[in-house]
Amino acid sequence: MKYVRQFGGGSAEGRSKDKALLGGKGANLAEMASLGLPVPPGFTITTEVCRIVMEKGDDVDPAGRSEFDPLHLGPDELRGEVEAALERVEELTQTRFGDPSSPLLVSVRSGAPASMPGMMDTILNLGLNDTTVAALAARAKNDRFAWDCYRRFIAMYSDVVLGVSAETEDAEDPFDKILEGIKTKHRAQRDQDLSAEALRETVAAFKAEVQRATGKPFPDDVTAQLWGAIGAVFRSWNNPRADVYRKMNGISATMGTAVNVQAMVFGNLGDDCATGVAFTRNPATGTAELYGEFLTNAQGEDVVAGIRTPEPIAELAKRLPAAHAELVRVAKLLEDHFRDMQDLEFTIQSGQLYMLQTRNGKRTGKAMVKVAVDLVAEGKLQPKEAVMRIDPAKLDEVLHPTIDPKARPQPVAKGLPASPGAAIGKIVFTASAADQWAQKGETVLLVRTDTSPEDIHGMKAAAGILTARGGMTSHAAVVARGMGKCCITSCTSLRVDAAKKTASFIGGGKELKLKEGDVLTLDGSTGEVFVGSAPLMPAQLGSELGTLMEWVDQFRRLKVRTNADTPTDARTARSFGAEGIGLCRTEHMFFQPERIMAVREMIVAGDEAGRRAALAKILPMQREDFVELFRVMHELPVTIRLLDPPLHEFLPHTPAEIEELAATTGKTATQITHKVAELTEANPMLGHRGVRLAITYPEIYEIQVQAIGEAASQCAREGLLVHPEIMIPLVMVPEELKRMRELCTKAMTKALGGVPIPFTIGTMIELPRACVVADRIAQHADFFSFGTNDLTQTTFGLSRDDAGRFLPSYVEQGVLPSDPFAVLDPDGVGALIELGVRGGRSSKPGLKVGICGEHGGEPSSVEFCHRAGFDYVSCSPFRVPIARVAAARAALSEERP
Ligand code: PEP
Ligand code: MG
């Protein structure tokens, strides 16, 4: 095992496939070097070392905090391997680390196997001290440049390695504060306006601050600097923001990060120097154009940090045409090589282009679809590969609402459209406030001068993000795009005072003041900001999505249905490609205001005759509901689930409602109150609900089935093709279903009145016992539909209504990998489902099996259903396209060797 791998000088000890060991950045630096691209030489310390250090560090300090010393905890060979690798970099660059006349400077960067942009730490210009700074000045013939590098290095190193930083979230960074003071003293507007002398003064003040804050001088020894930086990068793997990011993106905490040590190239040597980031296609729209930003005479972090507003890459063609042409060539070469849109980091030193990073670019859902479809059109990908490039969950964004153009208000401000979609919310000014407000159930927008990776938890909690600074590739933009959240950056008229909890938009001699809690609307697709809430409208689906969906439908085996109770939902779902209704919850029809009184009459009726009289009032309304649904779903199956919730949910609660029901039924208010008390259950989720209602009051299901049958025959007479499927909920013993089958068959046959409409009768499987005795239940069922909401609830013994109070903490602490009500639990609930499918099909081969719990639209759960041999999944209308893609991906991944 070699712990250090070299790259540069036209060769590399590794390739892009080695991401697990070299991290994404290291693996791709190696790949670029081996392709002969201009990559400054360097080496990668493998993730293996990070894992060793973490493991031993845990033993030393169980809190896992300060002990990340790689020399003390890393493998014995590490020191020697690093020294040898450093020597090779020295040879290739003809410099020496710490040399007083020709010093090598390096960058030390993190690079995890999975991309975690901006989450971990980086140090530039390492190797500078009071001696080497003079040599650097002499070599560059530029005093100012050398001292600028030095002051940057001290600030970065002190923050990252020595922990000298702002004391609170709102407080100013101590080094920024010193720098601002020196700028004021020297009447410098911008950092670039500071003279070498002023920068020298800055360095002295920075060092004094380090001494004050740490009680020790800033380290002069370059070797100590290097090992300190390596340890800090390892430690940053465990910093809170990296931890939040990993949890959000399902990245394992045990992988560890690699460390890349690379010879510095300088974008800040003069006006023929620049640094920038570029995407080979537009990451917001997917348009094929070199897209990005650069800053002349600057270092890399300036672009990402959003301190100066960068220029669009097209400008580079005018400023540095040769370097721009070379960038265009390299960008095309890399995109063709990786067959995907690349996100590049580059530096131009004295007109010469250097590549510092390439990776598959993060993109919006819209760009994801367009790039995949375009790459197929360009002959670079096969349709199957394009489908495997689609993250189904990300399609959500394409389906997001936008501001209605017909009722678009006047914007109050405009910034860069960093991440699309529209969001309305109450504004807050710190990440913590966003978190707290969101926990109280508020929809918030995080409004800041700029965001830093520390803000990630607030960005996660917010519906949208607005910043005064930053560009399209600033931290806020990259992270928001990854999250699929609406984001506007560089809104220059915005002023934020986080401490006072106020903000304002300044322009045209006017100022519009805002305070915490005020409502704004953001349009992340145009960059416009509106005061108050603007009218939104549903997403517009582009032609690329249509093309993608055609491929998807060729590859998938699972059918995709929808959960819909209303004609509107059914129509939306059909437009998204739903192939039927998998769950129509009839109780939602009972809750409508004009019907609730009849339902209540039914519940409080003392006998069957009374219940039938009340049900007779509901019958025509139910029939009309089903007629509408059958019309919308012409030719497609419609699964109608009979009444499921406990009856007391329908009962009156307020005194006025009780009085009204008393008056209608001729009972007294006291009698009604007693009835309510009688029906109230200690544990209604496990009570008198589902099929249990019909075992005690069969007439409820009988009348519902009559309404289905009459609606079906009416539609058939209109020439429509109807496929009603009657579904019985919460079955626990076969006998329940046997009785209901008899009842439903009889009622349906009667209601159809001889019109030949095929119908089926099936059951939900949503109790563990039903899974276990599925073979016997199947004898009375034409189909099974797994109700994984209740099945999760009853398998875990976790209330689906209350678990939200503590489940997030389970997930946060890693006790559970995810919320089992959102992502199907394959080990427990999944095992029961497999048992149920096996049992059901053992007594009824070819039994149709589906799912209608919330998991039916969640990609990994859909893949589970595919593997378990389901016939269909059913999900909410907006998730239908997601489920279709997930189903295709499941089928395609089975094809792979
Ligand atoms: C279920 O339990 O998964 C289900 C679909 O039924 P409901 O959510 O209506 O209980
Ligand atoms: Mg249920």
Side-chain angles (χ1 to χ4, degrees):
M1 172 61 90
K2 204 161 178 288
Y3 295 105
V4 176
R5 310 289 182 95
Q6 298 167 347
F7 59 82
S11 69
E13 294 176 320
R15 287 295 181 272
S16 103
K17 63 175 170 35
D18 302 321
K19 288 196 176 67
L21 198 60
L22 302 182
K25 185 178 285 171
N28 280 356
L29 279 169
E31 186 85 15
M32 284 198 289
S34 71
L35 288 169
L37 294 177
V39 175
F43 56 87
T44 303
I45 303 173
T46 65
T47 55
E48 176 69 21
V49 179
C50 185
R51 286 191 292 270
I52 294 172
V53 168
M54 281 197 293
E55 226 165 77
K56 290 207 199 145
D58 276 352
D59 293 342
V60 176
D61 172 5
R65 296 205 120 246
S66 56
E67 286 294 337
F68 280 88
D69 174 3
L71 276 180
H72 167 211
L73 301 169
D76 295 343
E77 301 88 332
L78 186 64
R79 184 197 293 263
E81 288 189 24
V82 165
E83 281 169 2
L86 200 58
E87 254 172 53
R88 183 165 178 273
V89 178
E90 290 174 337
E91 277 162 29
L92 286 167
T93 56
Q94 306 207 323
T95 54
R96 282 185 74 78
F97 195 48
D99 191 88
S101 55
S102 183
L104 167 68
L105 301 189
V106 295
S107 63
V108 180
R109 295 168 179 246
S110 59
S115 161
M116 296 171 56
M119 293 304 127
M120 287 176 295
D121 291 326
T122 282
I123 293 156
L124 303 179
N125 305 325
L126 189 139
L128 280 175
N129 55 30
D130 290 350
T131 320
T132 55
V133 70
L136 181 68
R139 187 168 80 206
K141 298 193 187 61
N142 189 335
D143 249 14
R144 192 197 168 280
F145 155 75
W147 286 90
D148 191 42
C149 288
Y150 196 16
R151 66 98 185 167
R152 286 167 189 271
F153 167 58
I154 295 174
M156 224 182 237
Y157 192 93
S158 304
D159 174 18
V160 172
V161 184
L162 308 176
V164 183
S165 56
E167 272 150 27
T168 64
E169 199 179 353
D170 296 337
E172 206 182 344
D173 177 83
F175 299 106
D176 279 352
K177 202 164 153 189
I178 293 169
L179 189 67
E180 286 306 316
I182 290 178
K183 270 157 76 179
T184 309
K185 181 178 157 198
H186 291 267
R187 300 213 165 84
Q189 286 271 320
R190 305 168 305 165
D191 296 1
Q192 303 99 290
D193 301 331
L194 287 171
S195 65
E197 207 35 57
L199 289 166
R200 218 184 268 265
E201 192 182 327
T202 309
V203 164
F206 279 9
K207 285 187 165 185
E209 171 62 18
V210 171
Q211 177 78 47
R212 189 199 64 75
T214 65
K216 287 186 212 143
F218 186 83
D220 254 355
D221 176 55
V222 295
T223 305
Q225 288 175 1
L226 179 64
W227 288 107
I230 294 169
V233 171
F234 284 149
R235 183 174 65 216
S236 73
W237 172 256
N238 276 346
N239 75 30
R241 61 180 194 252
D243 195 44
V244 172
Y245 188 91
R246 277 197 296 270
K247 286 197 177 121
M248 270 180 69
N249 292 281
I251 299 170
S252 152
T254 57
M255 285 194 293
T257 180
V259 180
N260 300 292
V261 179
Q262 190 175 23
M264 283 295 302
V265 282
F266 297 99
N268 54 344
L269 259 177
D271 289 335
D272 59 350
C273 300
T275 183
V277 290
F279 290 85
T280 57
R281 299 187 188 228
N282 184 316
T285 63
T287 307
E289 59 182 352
L290 187 64
Y291 184 90
E293 296 163 328
F294 73 100
L295 279 169
T296 49
N297 205 4
Q299 275 202 333
E301 297 314 288
D302 297 347
V303 180
V304 185
I307 291 163
R308 276 161 59 193
T309 301
E311 296 179 75
I313 217 87
E315 280 297 307
L316 189 65
K318 294 183 204 150
R319 301 279 202 98
L320 299 167
H324 178 264
E326 174 68 349
L327 179 64
V328 170
R329 180 189 78 85
V330 170
K332 172 153 183 10
L333 189 147
L334 285 171
E335 186 181 280
D336 290 350
H337 181 73
F338 287 104
R339 302 192 309 142
D340 199 358
M341 183 246 267
Q342 295 298 295
D343 167 358
L344 314 167
E345 240 176 68
F346 64 91
T347 283
I348 298 166
Q349 177 177 304
S350 310
Q352 160 77 46
L353 176 80
Y354 290 95
M355 299 308 297
L356 301 182
Q357 171 154 320
T358 188
R359 60 184 169 200
N360 293 339
K362 293 217 178 294
R363 60 203 81 178
T364 62
K366 185 176 173 187
M368 169 183 75
V369 173
K370 181 162 169 57
V371 170
V373 172
D374 284 356
L375 286 174
V376 173
E378 291 163 26
K380 291 176 188 156
L381 286 186
Q382 292 300 315
K384 284 183 182 178
E385 293 172 300
V387 171
M388 291 311 284
R389 294 271 178 89
I390 300 295
D391 172 0
K394 232 177 150 48
L395 281 179
D396 223 2
E397 284 169 52
V398 188
L399 312 167
H400 270 330
T402 47
I403 294 172
D404 185 347
K406 287 196 226 79
R408 199 178 179 85
Q410 268 309 100
V412 59
K414 193 163 188 321
L416 290 175
S419 184
I424 301 174
K426 295 186 176 168
I427 58 171
V428 292
F429 304 109
T430 59
S432 321
D435 225 338
Q436 284 154 14
W437 284 55
Q439 277 181 24
K440 282 188 274 169
E442 298 279 4
T443 306
V444 295
L445 303 176
L446 180 60
V447 176
R448 291 188 61 77
T449 301
D450 51 16
T451 66
S452 75
E454 270 86 14
D455 294 323
I456 181 147
H457 64 113
M459 296 177 71
K460 186 179 158 197
I465 296 127
L466 171 65
T467 67
R469 293 206 201 136
M472 290 292 283
T473 46
S474 63
H475 170 264
V478 171
V479 173
R481 223 177 279 136
M483 291 180 184
K485 263 186 195 166
C486 152
C487 176
I488 299 171
T489 56
S490 195
C491 181
T492 48
S493 66
L494 172 69
R495 300 282 177 282
V496 179
D497 188 334
K500 288 209 184 103
K501 300 188 182 176
T502 60
S504 55
F505 291 109
I506 296 168
K510 283 191 257 163
E511 180 177 8
L512 175 76
K513 292 196 166 135
L514 296 168
K515 58 181 188 320
E516 189 177 59
D518 287 351
V519 174
L520 291 182
T521 301
L522 307 182
D523 185 341
S525 310
T526 63
E528 286 167 311
V529 182
F530 307 85
V531 171
S533 53
L536 300 187
M537 58 169 236
Q540 306 292 311
L541 309 175
S543 64
E544 285 90 4
L545 187 64
T547 307
L548 178 78
M549 286 300 172
E550 277 171 30
W551 296 332
V552 158
D553 289 348
Q554 287 165 25
F555 305 141
R556 70 189 162 94
R557 180 185 58 69
L558 276 177
K559 295 251 180 222
V560 177
R561 296 193 186 189
T562 190
N563 294 357
D565 317 326
T566 66
T568 311
D569 284 356
R571 230 172 265 125
T572 307
R574 252 201 119 147
S575 76
F576 285 146
E579 297 164 295
I581 289 181
L583 174 63
C584 165
R585 295 176 163 104
T586 51
E587 56 269 20
H588 292 175
M589 299 166 165
F590 279 47
F591 277 112
Q592 290 177 22
E594 67 277 16
R595 304 180 184 184
I596 189 81
M597 192 49 74
V599 177
R600 287 176 178 160
E601 277 179 57
M602 173 193 81
I603 297 169
V604 298
D607 54 17
E608 185 185 332
R611 278 191 297 276
R612 280 191 184 275
L615 283 164
K617 293 187 193 170
I618 300 168
L619 172 72
M621 302 186 243
Q622 277 262 282
R623 187 169 54 220
E624 217 24 59
D625 292 330
F626 296 136
V627 165
E628 284 295 307
L629 272 188
F630 289 144
R631 282 191 184 136
V632 176
M633 298 310 287
H634 168 55
E635 293 184 328
L636 297 177
V638 177
T639 307
I640 297 165
R641 182 186 67 193
L642 303 183
L643 198 66
D644 181 45
L647 286 182
H648 78 92
E649 278 191 19
F650 297 100
L651 283 169
H653 299 294
T654 63
E657 284 172 349
I658 292 177
E659 286 295 341
E660 192 189 355
L661 183 58
T664 317
T665 53
K667 294 186 160 50
T668 65
T670 315
Q671 283 173 313
I672 302 288
T673 310
H674 280 154
K675 190 73 189 174
V676 174
E678 185 189 313
L679 284 170
T680 301
E681 294 172 301
N683 206 338
M685 272 294 186
L686 301 178
H688 195 194
R689 57 169 288 214
V691 68
R692 300 161 197 177
L693 292 171
I695 293 290
T696 43
Y697 306 131
E699 55 281 1
I700 299 179
Y701 279 14
E702 193 188 313
I703 300 292
Q704 284 198 291
V705 173
Q706 185 182 341
I708 296 169
E710 288 175 2
S713 65
Q714 180 184 329
C715 290
R717 282 195 298 270
E718 288 173 18
L720 296 167
L721 280 174
V722 286
H723 299 283
E725 300 180 334
I726 296 163
M727 183 155 77
I728 311 297
L730 217 75
V731 165
M732 59 184 177
V733 289
E735 186 60 24
E736 288 168 325
L737 190 61
K738 179 167 178 273
R739 291 183 186 203
M740 287 307 122
R741 188 176 182 89
E742 278 163 23
L743 177 147
C744 293
T745 309
K746 216 155 107 200
M748 195 67 179
T749 311
K750 186 167 165 217
L752 290 176
V755 182
I757 295 170
F759 64 91
T760 54
I761 297 168
T763 181
M764 296 191 70
I765 300 287
E766 46 187 347
L767 294 173
R769 187 178 200 283
C771 296
V772 176
V773 301
D775 56 336
R776 280 151 282 167
I777 291 178
Q779 287 165 4
H780 314 289
D782 299 321
F783 63 88
F784 277 1
S785 178
F786 284 89
T788 45
N789 303 330
D790 276 311
L791 188 57
T792 301
Q793 167 166 262
T794 47
T795 301
F796 278 80
L798 262 179
S799 158
R800 60 194 263 196
D801 294 332
D802 302 315
R805 298 190 191 166
F806 60 90
L807 260 190
S809 141
Y810 263 63
V811 178
E812 233 152 68
Q813 292 186 49
V815 180
L816 278 174
S818 51
D819 178 343
F821 289 103
V823 179
L824 191 86
D825 153 47
D827 300 340
V829 178
L832 280 167
I833 290 176
E834 281 163 350
L835 184 67
V837 175
R838 239 191 345 266
R841 289 192 176 145
S842 73
S843 60
K844 203 165 257 184
L847 177 76
K848 187 165 70 180
V849 172
I851 177 175
C852 62
E854 283 310 297
H855 307 89
E858 191 283 317
S860 75
S861 314
V862 173
E863 294 191 20
F864 172 88
C865 294
H866 173 92
R867 288 194 303 275
F870 277 48
D871 295 290
Y872 70 89
V873 296
S874 186
C875 57
S876 59
F878 275 90
R879 290 167 91 187
V880 167
I882 297 172
R884 286 162 71 194
V885 173
R889 288 171 51 93
L892 290 174
S893 31
E894 242 170 24
E895 273 182 20
R896 299 190 153 189

